[in-house]
């Protein structure tokens, strides 16, 4: 069982690519709301024409305020709109968890995931071994299924990130 505290809760989130509006935003990714509801649906990237974003990976980063031991990361998918073809929309398929220490200039890969199956609405928890850092970055190279109401627009769209 992981630690009960959520190191990401209300911590600043940055990204190289996000859409900010009345429902979606970087800081809605760490606001404690585990499901997508009007006014706080979570994070969304801008849209891409393909799921392959390896040429310009999408990343989101949480500032934990100080160097911390990071044991696991849980990604909560957006549940309110299904994916084109079924399942969960906007959940990453190929991605890495990276850490960077306070004052550090390089990122260390803590875990790489390839071919992640569609979670069908269920939160997914990833164990990290010997991961330490002030910053946790989720770096995506292949996006998941588009939402059923945007069948040709691929996005990263988690409702929440939890870091223990």
């Amino acid at each position: 069982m992981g630690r009960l505290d959520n190191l990401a809760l209300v911590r600043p989130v940055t990204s190289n690519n996000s859409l900010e509006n009345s429902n979606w935003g970087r800081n809605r990714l760490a606001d404690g709301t585990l499901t997508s509801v009007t006014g706080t649906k979570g994070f969304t990237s801008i849209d891409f024409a393909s799921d392959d974003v390896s040429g310009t990976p999408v990343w989101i980063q949480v500032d934990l305020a100080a160097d911390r031991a990071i044991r696991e990361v849980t990604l909560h998918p957006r549940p309110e709109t299904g994916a084109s073809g079924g399942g969960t929309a906007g959940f990453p398929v190929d991605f890495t968890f990276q850490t960077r220490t306070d004052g550090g200039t390089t990122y260390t890969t803590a875990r790489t995931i390839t071919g992640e199956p569609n979670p069908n609405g269920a939160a997914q928890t990833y164990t990290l071994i010997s991961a330490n850092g002030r910053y946790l970055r989720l770096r995506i190279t292949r996006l998941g299924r588009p939402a059923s109401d945007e069948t040709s627009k691929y996005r990263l769209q988690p409702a929440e990130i939890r870091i223990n």
Side-chain angles (χ1 to χ4, degrees):
M1 180 172 165
R3 296 185 317 211
L4 298 177
D5 55 330
N6 177 3
L7 300 174
L9 188 61
V10 299
R11 299 300 315 149
V13 177
T14 55
S15 175
N16 68 335
N17 176 322
S18 69
L19 176 65
E20 302 287 318
N21 63 30
S22 62
N23 284 312
W24 301 96
R26 289 181 298 273
N27 288 330
R28 289 184 179 93
L29 186 62
D31 64 2
T33 304
L34 303 181
T35 61
S36 294
V37 296
T38 300
T40 182
K41 289 190 175 189
F43 173 88
T44 187
S45 66
I46 63 169
D47 61 278
F48 295 88
S50 165
D51 65 345
D52 183 357
V53 292
S54 59
T56 53
V58 174
W59 59 262
I60 52 177
Q61 177 173 282
V62 180
D63 181 347
L64 304 175
D67 286 339
R68 310 276 184 158
I70 302 167
R71 292 179 179 82
E72 62 186 23
V73 178
T74 301
L75 296 177
H76 295 267
R78 69 177 287 201
E80 88 294 350
T81 301
S84 177
T88 297
F91 202 84
V93 174
D94 295 344
F95 53 98
T96 58
F97 293 104
Q98 301 174 316
T99 59
R100 190 182 90 202
T101 58
D102 191 12
T105 57
T106 59
Y107 288 87
T108 300
T109 298
R111 183 158 179 195
T112 299
I113 309 293
T114 56
E116 177 71 7
N118 190 287
N120 292 307
Q124 301 297 301
T125 299
Y126 305 93
T127 302
L128 308 183
I129 306 299
S130 301
N132 293 289
R134 174 177 176 165
Y135 303 96
L136 177 86
R137 180 175 280 190
L138 172 61
R139 183 178 178 272
I140 297 88
T141 55
R142 188 161 60 125
L143 300 166
R145 296 178 187 164
S148 59
D149 60 353
E150 294 186 317
T151 59
S152 62
K153 295 180 179 181
Y154 293 85
R155 301 176 187 268
L156 172 64
Q157 293 185 312
E160 185 79 3
I161 188 169
R162 182 177 179 87
I163 301 171
N164 297 106

